[in-house]
Amino acid sequence: MSAQDDAVTTPRDDEAPALLQVRDLEVTFTTDAGPVVAVSGVSFDVRAGQTVAIVGESGSGKSTVAAAVLGLLPRNGRVTAGSVTLDGQSLLGLSQRRLQRLRGRVLGLVPQDPMTNLNPTATIGRQLVETLEDTGTASGKEARDRAVELLTEAGIGQAEERIAAYPHQFSGGMRQRALIAIGLSASPELLVADEPTSALDVTVQQVVLDRMEQLTAARGTAVMLITHDLGLAADRASDVLVMYRGELVESGPALTLLREPTHEYTKRLLAAAPSLASRRIEIAKQTGAEDAVEGDDLLARTDGHETGTDEPPLIRVENLRKVFPGARRGLFGREPDVVAVDDVSFDMPRGRTVAIVGESGSGKSTVARMLLHLLEPTSGRVLLEGQEVDARRQADEIAFRRRVQPVFQDPYSSLDPLFTVFRTIEEPLRAHGYGDARTRSQRVYELLDQVALPAAMARRYPAELSGGQRQRVAIARALALQPDVVVCDEAVSALDVIVQSQILHLLADLQERLGLTYLFISHDLAVVRQIADHTCVMEKGRIVEQGPTDVVFDSPEEPYTQRLLAAIPGRSLELSL
Amino acid sequence: MLRLILRRLALLVPTLFGLSVLLFLWVRALPGGPAAALLGERATPEAVAEINRLYGFDRPLHEQYVRYLGQLLQGNFGTSLTTRRPVMEEFTNRFPATVELTIWAILIAVVVGIALGYVAARRHGSLVDNAAVVASLVGVTVPVFFLAFILKFVFAVRLGWFPSTGRQSNDIDATHYTNLYVLDGILTGEWDAAWDAVLHLVLPALALASIPLAIIARMTRSSVIEVQSSDYVRTAVAKGLRPPRVRNRVLLRNALLPVATTIGLQVGLLLSGAVLTETVFSYPGIGGFLATAISSADYPVLQGFILLIALVYALVNLAVDISYGIIDPRLRTR
């Protein structure tokens, strides 16, 4: 089953006929610049009870396919060719009334972002009950009881009380469970799950997906899973379709496709996918044996402070603690204080990468902000070359900031939209009084070259750049003042895997050439493994485990670390590779 | 919530105190003064001095203010220089008329504004939408008194469809309980009186409603456009809700949250718009009376009326703030 055409069009004889048949689907968007074909020539089947995954990066058209199947294309989008049939009935060209009757009962949706997909002004229970009523599944008291049942099934405890809660009172994981309960409430034949867990922490992701799998298996629901994560697709689906620039480039049974990818893009996707098996990106090996030996030397020193080596770390973090006062409550009361970071200590040896991993709320970003002097610690200190920087002395503070620079998570919001790339990179040079206009300009082009952006990019605005290009600009800006330390707070989390891999290689390359020291904050263990020499695992404000990255990953001691590692999607893929 | 209300009420005290000082100085900075207004242009300096001595306007400012503040603290707003009646009495006599006018204006602005904004948003980019956008722009920019004059001239003077002045025709003998004439007419069953009051209200209420109507329509339009492309509306459609439920419970409910804020702000502004409208239509509310008080430099009326209006404005705003918590569950304190 290596040739894609076979997998797509020939139904296997021993299987039941397909529930959903998509043939030569083409979707066109009308834009100001004229019609744009977003999806073309896409054909696939989903059989009853089967889970099929569509994998691709953002902009590949995978969500557009889902929207076309559900009849939920935005106003400017239209199916311009092909057919979509469910149980032999065409879904295209149905009236809104006919479609409304199919929705919920035949076609279910679990949408992408749990934060934006629930009605903020209605209780969770109300949102379930109205679905049950309008799909004719249940009404009145019966609907309410059924809502409680559905929430319980979806893994929400004390559903009897929680049914009265509003979405903002739920965590992201609970909201996604509620959305799964809503999507399955009228027992649809086909459930479209559009990136159902990409906004969730890895451990929550696993639990939520497990629950969804159980529920759909029990109901015999077919699932069309849309995801950017190849590992997750391989874990959860029997068949995988790979989309690239609006076209289906490869499809087939999950394991076959991952073992013997035929299309160039699938190969690149596989090569770029960070996974547990991946090792640290070793630029040293390419640049020569001498460097590699030196690298090994430094690696041995990584845990110097534990064994008492005299080489001092570039940055030493000592017993850092941050307490946020609790929110006011009632007339005089206060909620208990929140200990965001508790007794965190680690060393950052020069020229090495220290990573902090943890789930959202673990305090990892708070540590980063304290290290950047953006937040004052409640107690503890940050030493740069053994010296504590006095935040009250402005000159020291400025000198510190010159040496320690940040790269933040979201390349879409961390660049000033009104600044050109040139101005963004030049700004820190100007602020710190670096040279005259000519030398600054030279430096900007030098930096663009270092991050592998063409000089012509200098005149562009952030809106004209892709996510990866923006993150390169952010890195160039951080490097402008030749810092010693770069703090990368989830710097690659918002990027597609291939771009992510490119940025990680860029970071490794820059480290090698410029001798940079990184603090790398991430929730993604697979990424951490690729870049870090030393890994700290944080849970609830504390470092529960730290050590050389290989040791932490290969023989984790703490149950929490073991749980985190076990939750990474794509483990099955690795074991079989 | 109680804590919030108490704090806001406590804040009123320094606000009103500060305002009383400003008002006191402001009315005395007006050209002319009560003596000149009373005696006319050819008054002798002796007569002016005599009047000023009579009312105590010859005393030093701080002394006058302390005396005024002392009266205020006893709930005494002084006596009008022109009508010789207590300021408080003049206010309570006229205030219901203004309240009635404001309520009608708000009703028109909210109902028509939301409907217009909603229709425009649902037909986003169409002729209807563009017309609504232009109309609301005109509505915001045309001065209230100008619109009032036009309405009066066309519909009252030329066409004679509506009465041009007052609250009630002279030939109608109505019983009044609340001094909200339409409500009184309905309560007593005097339908002719109620209808007559409605006819008197139409033109001034329309003039007064124009600006808030335009603002509410624009706000509704942009809010509906935003919410109708939101993820949760899409999800509501995808889960199989019937279109009326999607429209009313999901789309409108969420789209109207920011509109509610706007409405709250407009209620306060209407009180100032009422001054101009009431003057044009000789409508016997506080606005018209305030306008005459300015020209006759009636210090006690100006000070007292504006202080009372400020108090009402502050209370309305507080009520609006409290209502947000009821409308938007996210703002409810736990």
Side-chain angles (χ1 to χ4, degrees):
Chain A
M1 230 11 112
S2 54
Q4 47 169 312
D5 289 34
D6 290 355
V8 170
T9 48
T10 322
R12 281 162 244 178
D13 298 336
D14 53 332
E15 310 271 359
L19 171 71
L20 176 77
Q21 286 192 324
V22 176
R23 290 290 174 273
D24 301 316
L25 183 70
E26 181 183 277
V27 179
T28 309
F29 285 98
T30 327
T31 66
D32 293 339
V36 174
V37 178
V39 165
S40 73
V42 169
S43 304
F44 64 94
D45 286 353
V46 181
R47 293 185 307 279
Q50 186 194 18
T51 298
V52 171
I54 303 185
V55 182
E57 56 194 70
S58 49
S60 63
K62 58 189 193 301
S63 288
T64 306
V65 170
V69 168
L70 293 168
L72 285 174
L73 284 171
R75 282 179 171 209
N76 61 342
R78 236 161 12 101
V79 174
T80 38
S83 65
V84 178
T85 49
L86 190 98
D87 277 339
Q89 180 192 20
S90 173
L91 292 180
L92 301 178
L94 285 184
S95 68
Q96 282 303 311
R97 181 188 293 260
R98 291 281 301 281
L99 262 178
Q100 186 256 317
R101 286 203 202 117
L102 291 178
R103 285 181 180 138
R105 268 177 292 190
V106 180
L107 295 167
L109 169 70
V110 175
Q112 177 164 13
D113 186 353
M115 293 306 169
T116 60
N117 273 291
L118 286 163
N119 178 358
T121 55
T123 61
I124 299 289
R126 185 72 236 153
Q127 299 188 48
L128 266 164
V129 168
E130 66 188 9
T131 316
L132 293 166
E133 284 174 357
D134 279 10
T135 53
T137 314
S139 61
K141 172 91 174 70
E142 196 196 334
R144 205 196 148 276
D145 293 346
R146 184 82 190 104
V148 173
E149 230 173 272
L150 281 162
L151 283 178
T152 313
E153 275 178 16
I156 292 180
Q158 298 162 299
E160 192 67 46
E161 290 101 63
R162 291 241 170 91
I163 196 169
Y166 285 91
H168 70 274
Q169 294 162 322
F170 270 25
S171 69
M174 278 165 69
R175 290 186 206 197
Q176 195 55 278
R177 287 165 205 260
L179 282 165
I180 290 173
I182 289 171
L184 288 172
S185 59
S187 302
E189 290 167 40
L190 174 72
L191 184 72
V192 176
D194 188 357
E195 300 265 15
T197 55
S198 57
L200 304 177
D201 277 328
V202 59
T203 46
V204 182
Q205 189 176 46
Q206 190 189 29
V207 179
V208 168
L209 284 173
D210 283 350
R211 185 63 72 156
M212 195 172 89
E213 206 168 278
Q214 278 169 24
L215 295 177
T216 51
R219 288 168 166 80
T221 312
V223 179
M224 196 172 132
L225 178 68
I226 314 287
T227 178
H228 66 277
D229 190 335
L230 206 51
L232 189 142
D235 254 4
R236 305 284 167 178
S238 59
D239 283 59
V240 174
L241 316 168
V242 180
M243 280 192 76
Y244 179 63
R245 295 196 177 165
E247 289 182 31
L248 208 57
V249 295
E250 189 158 5
S251 64
L255 286 179
T256 317
L257 186 137
L258 295 177
R259 280 205 196 112
E260 300 152 25
T262 52
H263 194 276
E264 195 48 41
Y265 177 73
T266 319
K267 289 178 186 166
R268 272 170 60 202
L269 207 57
L270 267 172
S275 68
L276 273 186
S278 55
R279 286 284 176 265
R280 189 164 190 283
I281 300 169
E282 290 289 357
I283 304 290
K285 281 175 192 148
Q286 295 159 17
T287 48
E290 258 181 46
D291 290 345
V293 170
E294 198 190 17
D296 283 344
D297 244 37
L298 278 169
L299 194 62
R301 248 182 256 147
T302 304
D303 296 304
H305 72 278
E306 283 158 16
T307 48
T309 318
D310 44 359
E311 166 84 11
L314 180 61
I315 283 193
R316 168 165 281 181
V317 171
E318 279 183 358
N319 310 104
L320 221 48
R321 183 179 160 88
K322 181 71 194 177
V323 180
F324 291 108
R328 282 157 178 254
R329 183 180 219 168
L331 262 177
F332 304 105
R334 256 181 194 290
E335 309 235 332
D337 290 350
V338 180
V339 183
V341 170
D342 194 8
D343 197 20
V344 162
S345 306
F346 58 89
D347 283 356
M348 294 175 59
R350 191 184 292 276
R352 301 265 109 193
T353 302
V354 173
I356 303 182
V357 280
E359 306 191 346
S360 47
S362 62
K364 56 188 193 302
S365 284
T366 310
V367 172
R369 300 222 313 266
M370 287 192 283
L371 199 135
L372 284 164
H373 279 215
L374 295 174
L375 197 67
E376 203 180 333
T378 309
S379 64
R381 34 184 212 160
V382 175
L383 303 175
L384 180 65
E385 286 175 338
Q387 302 282 309
E388 191 173 8
V389 178
D390 188 349
R392 283 160 304 183
R393 290 191 47 192
Q394 216 183 357
D396 288 3
E397 184 74 11
I398 288 172
F400 177 85
R401 285 195 198 284
R402 196 192 62 70
R403 299 186 62 186
V404 183
Q405 285 281 316
V407 174
F408 290 111
Q409 171 170 14
D410 186 353
Y412 293 88
S413 63
S414 58
L415 297 181
D416 189 325
L418 298 179
F419 276 20
T420 58
V421 166
F422 182 89
R423 223 179 134 193
T424 298
I425 302 176
E426 192 206 15
E427 200 189 23
L429 296 170
R430 220 197 283 220
H432 288 262
Y434 177 97
D436 57 12
R438 249 188 55 135
T439 50
R440 281 203 299 267
S441 165
Q442 262 173 11
R443 177 86 182 119
V444 170
Y445 286 105
E446 197 182 304
L447 286 160
L448 280 175
D449 188 50
Q450 275 181 355
V451 298
L453 283 176
M457 287 279 172
R459 284 193 305 273
R460 300 233 194 138
Y461 287 91
E464 300 164 321
L465 303 179
S466 71
Q469 287 169 338
R470 286 177 213 218
Q471 209 55 304
R472 284 173 196 267
V473 172
I475 292 169
R477 190 207 54 77
L479 295 179
L481 295 163
Q482 296 174 303
D484 298 313
V485 181
V486 177
V487 176
C488 305
D489 190 356
E490 300 275 12
V492 297
S493 310
L495 306 173
D496 284 321
V497 277
I498 290 177
V499 183
Q500 180 174 322
S501 147
Q502 287 165 356
I503 298 287
L504 287 174
H505 277 89
L506 173 69
L507 286 171
D509 182 40
L510 289 168
Q511 179 167 48
E512 190 61 31
R513 280 197 279 157
L514 307 174
L516 296 169
T517 305
Y518 292 142
L519 177 64
F520 198 87
I521 311 284
S522 180
H523 69 280
D524 190 337
L525 286 110
V527 166
V528 164
R529 173 148 228 190
Q530 281 183 290
I531 189 110
D533 300 294
H534 184 92
T535 300
C536 309
V537 180
M538 277 191 80
E539 184 196 15
K540 292 175 185 157
R542 291 177 155 273
I543 292 185
V544 292
E545 182 163 8
Q546 66 171 310
T549 302
D550 285 346
V551 177
V552 172
F553 277 71
D554 292 338
S555 45
E557 282 173 12
E558 286 297 313
Y560 179 72
T561 316
Q562 289 162 3
R563 243 180 34 239
L564 272 182
L565 287 168
I568 298 181
R571 280 173 68 81
S572 67
L573 143 79
E574 265 165 50
L575 295 174
S576 54
L577 273 174
Chain B
M1 182 55 90
L2 183 70
R3 179 198 165 93
L4 174 89
I5 296 172
L6 289 178
R7 208 174 61 195
R8 291 281 298 269
L9 286 177
L11 267 176
L12 262 181
V13 176
T15 309
L16 290 179
F17 174 76
L19 184 65
S20 75
V21 176
L22 286 178
L23 273 175
F24 187 83
L25 295 174
W26 172 71
V27 295
R28 278 158 183 78
L30 287 177
L38 277 174
L39 300 170
E41 279 173 25
R42 269 176 272 173
T44 59
E46 293 76 27
V48 169
E50 177 64 17
I51 293 279
N52 280 342
R53 198 185 54 74
L54 196 67
Y55 289 110
F57 295 141
D58 57 340
R59 318 294 304 172
L61 275 184
H62 60 87
E63 201 183 309
Q64 291 184 47
Y65 179 74
V66 169
R67 218 178 71 186
Y68 176 62
L69 192 65
Q71 287 177 355
L72 271 188
L73 290 178
Q74 294 163 33
N76 179 1
F77 284 80
T79 309
S80 163
L81 301 180
T82 43
T83 65
R84 317 255 165 211
R85 275 194 291 269
V87 170
M88 198 61 192
E89 188 186 314
E90 295 287 5
F91 187 82
T92 44
N93 279 343
R94 289 176 171 77
F95 192 56
T98 300
V99 169
E100 186 168 36
L101 175 62
T102 310
I103 289 173
W104 279 82
I106 269 292
L107 279 178
I108 293 172
V110 168
V111 173
V112 181
I114 289 177
L116 204 63
Y118 179 78
V119 170
R122 294 300 273 181
R123 291 175 176 67
H124 184 31
S126 72
L127 199 69
V128 181
D129 181 28
N130 291 330
V133 170
V134 171
S136 64
L137 200 65
V138 171
V140 173
T141 43
V142 170
V144 175
F145 66 89
F146 181 73
L147 184 69
F149 269 120
I150 298 286
L151 286 176
K152 181 174 167 179
F153 182 74
V154 175
F155 295 102
V157 179
R158 274 294 158 96
L159 297 172
W161 292 356
F162 300 101
S164 62
T165 56
R167 291 184 80 188
Q168 193 106 67
S169 304
N170 293 328
D171 52 349
I172 290 201
D173 182 27
T175 327
H176 297 304
Y177 297 115
T178 61
N179 276 327
L180 304 175
Y181 285 6
V182 179
L183 187 66
D184 282 340
I186 293 168
L187 288 177
T188 55
E190 294 166 350
W191 301 109
D192 54 335
W195 181 240
D196 181 65
V198 168
L199 288 180
H200 277 84
L201 276 165
V202 170
L203 293 181
L206 272 179
L208 189 55
S210 64
I211 289 179
L213 189 156
I215 293 174
I216 289 168
R218 289 166 71 93
M219 193 72 207
T220 307
R221 177 178 171 274
S222 63
S223 182
V224 169
I225 286 175
E226 192 189 318
V227 173
Q228 72 187 353
S229 61
S230 73
D231 286 344
Y232 55 83
V233 167
R234 193 181 108 121
T235 301
V237 173
K239 70 185 186 179
L241 292 196
R242 296 207 174 90
R245 178 112 74 171
V246 175
R247 183 178 64 232
N248 300 333
R249 307 249 349 176
V250 187
L251 177 55
L252 271 179
R253 173 90 209 249
N254 286 288
L256 290 184
L257 290 180
V259 179
T261 316
T262 314
I263 294 173
L265 293 173
Q266 298 308 316
V267 170
L269 291 179
L270 279 185
L271 288 169
S272 62
V275 174
L276 297 166
T277 315
E278 288 178 4
T279 311
V280 173
F281 288 98
S282 312
Y283 187 88
I286 51 168
F289 191 68
L290 204 53
T292 17
I294 292 174
S295 54
S296 60
D298 195 339
Y299 291 175
V301 169
L302 286 178
Q303 291 172 170
F305 269 45
I306 296 178
L307 265 184
L308 287 166
I309 290 173
L311 179 67
V312 171
Y313 183 85
L315 291 177
V316 167
N317 266 322
L318 178 59
V320 169
D321 282 357
I322 292 168
S323 72
Y324 294 156
I326 297 164
I327 307 170
D328 190 342
R330 283 165 298 186
L331 298 178
R332 268 171 228 166
T333 38
R334 278 162 294 162

